[in-house]
Amino acid sequence: MLKVRFHGRGGQGAKIASRVLGTAAFLEGYYAQDFPLYGAERRGAPIAAFTRISKEPILERGVISEPDVIVVMDETLLDDPLANPLSGLGKEGLVFINTTHKAEDIKKRYRIDANVLTLDITKISLDILGKPILSALAGGAASKIVRLKETSLKEAVTRELSDITHEKGLIEKNIEASIYCFNALPSVLIKSNASHKKSDVITMPFEAADISSPSVTIPANTPLKKTGNWRIFKPVWDYELCTKCMTCVMRCPDGCIRVNEEGFPYSDYENCKGCMICAEECPAKAIRKEREVHAW
Amino acid sequence: MIKSIKDLTFEEQMLPGTPACAGCGGLLALRHCLKALGEKTVIVNAAGCFTLLCVYPFTPFKSSWLYTAMACAPAGAQGVRDALNILIKKGRLDEKEDLKVVVLTGDGAAYDMGLSSTSGAIYRNLDFYYICYDNEAYGNTGFQSSGATPFGSKTGTTLPAELNPLGSELSKKDLFEIWRSHKPPYLATISPSHPVDIANKFKKCEGIKGPKLFIAHSPCPPGWATEPRLSAKFAKLAVETGIWPLKEALYGEVKHTLIPKKFKPVEEYLSEQGRFAHLFKPIRQEEAIKNIQERVNRYWK
Ligand SMILES: Cc1ncc(C[n+]2csc(CCOP(=O)(O)OP(=O)(O)O)c2C)c(N)n1
Ligand code: SF4
Ligand code: SF4
Ligand code: SF4
């Protein structure tokens, strides 16, 4: 059995990517299983999705804690202690990372012993689809890595996306992007670590309500969460053009924009989610959008 | 009265880093409501997207926050108000330190599940604020249709298909009138694209004892299938097309706080949103679009 785990941010398409891979495998006669895991959070927050592929019926259930292949759809997740995308990866395993950086550099920086493949699939999706929706692309990358056929991938993307959209053109563009990623990667022989570790049954002791219901006594501490790594684009101000009208300040849903001593607005990039409402609303067009590249 | 956004306070009551989606219109509305309310509040939040704002051990609020089940935030607010009153009466809380009790819920709770407990709270003349962020469906659980879902909208439970080409065939409830029929001293509709209007409405009802109720039209990128950057634009378009009238009722008397000089056609608002896309593609559903325009025309006549 081959176990693949996808890590993405809500809205990027990790769930559909896991389905594309599962369906492609199924079409080639394998047994397949795919499902997502959501936290309590929303679009932009880390999510994981899982695909199991096997020649035999799959009896294993639940999340994959020791994957053979990990697909990291957003490089910033590598620094995220909650997402912890590399957990359970063995030396024989393989990680695919969506990044602008080279595999050797990634291995060094994140101290990864396993095999690493990289490709900037965000750029490919922006070029072909016009938006950073990575489901078909990550599904394509994963299909190549686990040595499925191009024809099954094509059919899988069509089937999965037909459930979501009726736009023919969009499905075709997704197929194009998916195949592009498929062909851009080498296929690799992966030794599956077939061992199945039993997980312990978790028991929850009864606690009285005053102990078991937690309370937060520090006011307004969410800035510690640093939602800035949700961004794909960042707003950049041009003070030559800015008229200090304060529109951007009052339009930011998160209240990330503050005003400096000279009265010019600036964003708290630690938490700005990159929604780009500020850029859209600025009457003077003084805010431009720049692709966010994870700088080391 | 505040005239321009430059006069709005820079003081924030809710800080960044929340788990709400990028471009959440409801969050923008809430940010402005809290700016207007100030620091001395206690928020009573029914289950919905915004319960996730306070996931242990984090909170974006400078004030206190309490989580209730979906149907009973106004009942929770009654409990908090009573407790505060008792503390004041016993001399354990200075009247100057009193807190404003603020119910915060989505439209699923406001229009449907919590309607009876709201009815009870208004009936008892509970001294509280109610802020409903109306994203026109049950957002947190995947955008299922609610009593606030407009005619023609696609939702998780009203998927347009051959037999049901319209998406939702039902019409949005008029919560403003439902609430107004209870005769609360103040209620208003607001929009995140009109923060000055929000500030002035909160100013207007300041000091009034009893229910003060607000319904905020709230663009929701994942549910509406719109780009996050366009949330403010769609909020504005809803006002400019007349779909979302900005109004208030002080002691029952309705006054529109903004009447568009020239109404934009509803199509401008509908055609760019994924949840209405089926009205335009693959075939244009002329009847439905006309129907929506006529509803708006009838309202403003
Ligand atoms: C009694 C009850 N039923 C169902 C749920 C599950 N639930 C949690 S949030 C939610 C959606 C709430 O919708 P809405 O009030 O519109 O707020 P939004 O999610 O859009 O913010 C539902 C159905 C619940 N918490 N309680
Ligand atoms: S991109 Fe969005 S979150 Fe960031 S500063 Fe602009 S409005 Fe705020
Ligand atoms: S909206 Fe544009 S012009 Fe106005 S303050 Fe912001 S950057 Fe300056
Ligand atoms: S689902 Fe909609 S209402 Fe809920 S947090 Fe996201 S944008 Fe806001």
Side-chain angles (χ1 to χ4, degrees):
Chain A
M1 179 166 44
L2 212 55
K3 301 181 227 176
V4 183
R5 193 170 70 206
F6 294 82
H7 290 271
R9 294 191 174 278
Q12 261 179 347
K15 178 181 99 177
I16 304 292
S18 76
R19 292 183 59 135
V20 166
L21 178 63
T23 301
F26 178 76
L27 290 169
E28 279 183 35
Y30 292 100
Y31 290 91
Q33 198 188 60
D34 54 63
F35 54 96
L37 175 74
Y38 299 103
E41 304 188 0
R42 314 218 54 80
R43 196 182 253 207
I47 76 154
F50 311 87
T51 310
R52 289 189 177 91
I53 301 170
S54 173
K55 288 190 178 132
E56 316 288 325
I58 302 170
L59 300 176
E60 197 175 296
R61 293 287 183 272
V63 303
I64 295 171
S65 51
E66 291 179 346
D68 304 304
V69 177
I70 295 174
V71 177
V72 183
M73 293 164 64
D74 189 314
E75 191 197 331
T76 62
L77 291 168
L78 291 169
D79 290 322
D80 190 319
L82 284 177
N84 197 9
L86 300 179
S87 78
L89 178 70
K91 273 201 179 122
E92 309 277 347
L94 183 142
V95 199
F96 169 82
I97 297 168
N98 172 23
T99 172
T100 50
H101 297 286
K102 284 206 236 64
E104 310 94 78
D105 300 338
I106 288 269
K107 280 183 86 148
K108 251 186 251 145
R109 176 172 168 99
Y110 296 102
R111 299 201 194 97
I112 304 173
D113 287 338
N115 305 301
V116 174
L117 287 174
T118 65
L119 186 66
D120 184 1
I121 63 173
T122 301
K123 177 163 187 339
I124 299 167
S125 73
L126 289 173
D127 287 349
I128 300 181
L129 306 176
K131 33 183 164 184
I133 307 282
L134 308 176
S135 35
L137 295 91
S143 297
K144 182 63 168 287
I145 291 167
V146 307
R147 304 180 140 204
L148 294 173
K149 296 196 189 86
E150 190 178 314
T151 45
S152 348
L153 171 64
K154 218 166 158 174
E155 176 65 20
V157 173
T158 311
R159 286 198 190 189
E160 289 306 325
L161 295 193
S162 303
D163 281 351
I164 310 169
T165 175
H166 296 299
E167 249 182 85
K168 260 246 156 73
L170 190 63
I171 297 177
E172 261 146 34
K173 276 189 200 161
N174 269 285
I175 293 174
E176 185 192 336
S178 183
I179 301 291
Y180 186 98
C181 298
F182 186 92
N183 288 325
L185 290 172
S187 80
V188 199
L189 189 60
I190 299 149
K191 255 224 259 126
S192 170
N193 95 42
S195 75
H196 172 43
K197 252 202 8 210
K198 274 219 184 98
S199 57
D200 297 329
V201 177
I202 300 168
T203 52
M204 302 277 278
F206 177 80
E207 302 269 27
D210 59 340
I211 297 170
S212 63
S213 46
S215 54
V216 183
T217 46
I218 303 171
N221 59 356
T222 41
L224 295 171
K225 293 191 74 168
K226 309 223 182 304
T227 44
N229 61 11
W230 293 17
R231 265 196 320 268
I232 293 164
F233 295 103
K234 81 172 176 194
V236 180
W237 274 258
D238 181 345
Y239 293 154
E240 300 266 302
L241 296 175
C242 172
T243 61
K244 304 184 182 173
C245 71
M246 296 299 114
T247 302
C248 56
V249 179
M250 295 307 167
R251 289 279 193 267
C252 174
D254 289 79
C256 287
I257 308 176
R258 273 174 249 138
V259 176
N260 68 18
E261 279 163 16
E262 289 138 68
F264 286 116
Y266 68 96
S267 182
D268 156 21
Y269 288 129
E270 300 252 286
N271 279 296
C272 156
K273 292 171 183 165
C275 70
M276 287 300 145
I277 290 181
C278 51
E280 182 70 25
E281 292 288 313
C282 170
K285 299 269 163 277
I287 310 171
R288 64 177 187 277
K289 92 179 194 190
E290 267 180 22
R291 162 98 193 264
E292 190 71 74
V293 181
H294 196 50
W296 295 348
Chain B
M1 207 161 119
I2 295 173
K3 287 253 159 63
S4 121
I5 52 169
K6 286 192 180 170
D7 304 326
L8 294 171
T9 171
F10 284 107
E11 187 93 25
E12 303 287 346
Q13 302 303 335
M14 179 174 71
L15 296 195
T18 70
C21 308
C24 174
L27 195 71
L28 180 55
L30 177 61
R31 179 179 161 228
H32 285 293
C33 292
L34 294 179
K35 267 176 181 288
L37 283 165
E39 195 166 354
K40 287 190 186 139
T41 58
V42 44
I43 297 168
V44 184
N45 196 166
C49 284
F50 284 4
T51 24
L52 304 175
L53 297 178
C54 299
V55 175
Y56 185 79
F58 295 104
T59 172
F61 300 118
K62 289 185 179 163
S63 60
S64 295
W65 179 90
L66 173 80
Y67 174 34
T68 72
M70 245 188 108
C72 64
Q78 177 83 53
V80 174
R81 187 62 263 161
D82 290 350
L84 288 165
N85 288 350
I86 291 166
L87 287 176
I88 291 172
K89 213 169 184 178
K90 286 188 170 166
R92 284 167 58 189
L93 181 72
D94 189 336
E95 208 153 341
K96 276 187 234 120
E97 295 295 307
D98 193 15
L99 302 174
K100 297 171 182 160
V101 183
V102 183
V103 164
L104 175 64
T105 83
D107 51 279
Y111 285 68
D112 297 335
M113 291 168 71
L115 192 51
S116 78
S117 74
T118 314
S119 172
I122 308 176
Y123 171 64
R124 296 189 304 273
N125 201 35
L126 176 65
D127 186 22
F128 78 125
Y129 291 83
Y130 194 131
I131 300 167
C132 163
Y133 58 99
D134 182 357
N135 57 13
E136 308 196 310
Y138 289 83
N140 188 40
T141 39
F143 212 68
Q144 293 84 5
S145 100
S146 79
T149 301
F151 172 81
S153 168
K154 170 182 170 178
T155 69
T157 41
T158 57
L159 293 172
E162 219 168 311
L163 286 176
N164 172 39
L166 286 173
S168 176
E169 293 181 346
L170 304 176
S171 307
K172 189 179 176 83
K173 289 184 192 172
D174 190 345
L175 185 65
F176 184 86
E177 287 304 321
I178 296 171
W179 278 354
R180 192 168 75 98
S181 70
H182 290 68
K183 303 192 177 13
Y186 189 81
L187 79 161
T189 59
I190 52 179
S191 167
S193 58
H194 291 70
V196 174
D197 183 65
I198 296 180
N200 284 325
K201 283 172 172 165
F202 275 89
K203 246 205 160 92
K204 187 152 204 175
C205 66
E206 200 170 275
I208 296 179
K209 282 237 186 272
K212 298 163 280 285
L213 316 163
F214 295 82
I215 314 169
H217 196 231
S218 301
C220 165
W224 292 19
T226 51
E227 284 181 50
R229 73 186 163 91
L230 299 178
S231 290
K233 174 180 154 179
F234 286 121
K236 232 181 305 170
L237 271 175
V239 173
E240 290 168 351
T241 53
I243 282 187
W244 188 255
L246 291 178
K247 55 186 169 181
E248 63 184 358
L250 183 65
Y251 298 112
E253 202 178 313
V254 182
K255 193 184 123 208
H256 285 87
T257 53
L258 190 152
I259 301 172
K261 287 205 181 73
K262 194 168 178 295
F263 288 89
K264 292 191 169 158
V266 293
E267 195 172 332
E268 261 185 58
Y269 171 72
L270 303 172
S271 63
E272 277 181 65
Q273 295 181 45
R275 64 174 174 156
F276 295 115
H278 58 282
L279 299 181
F280 299 89
K281 275 193 291 189
I283 32 170
R284 195 180 153 89
Q285 302 192 47
E286 201 59 57
E287 273 299 299
I289 301 166
K290 223 172 97 196
N291 184 330
I292 297 170
Q293 183 66 60
E294 274 164 9
R295 284 161 195 251
V296 174
N297 298 351
R298 237 177 290 137
Y299 174 89
W300 287 98
K301 225 173 35 214

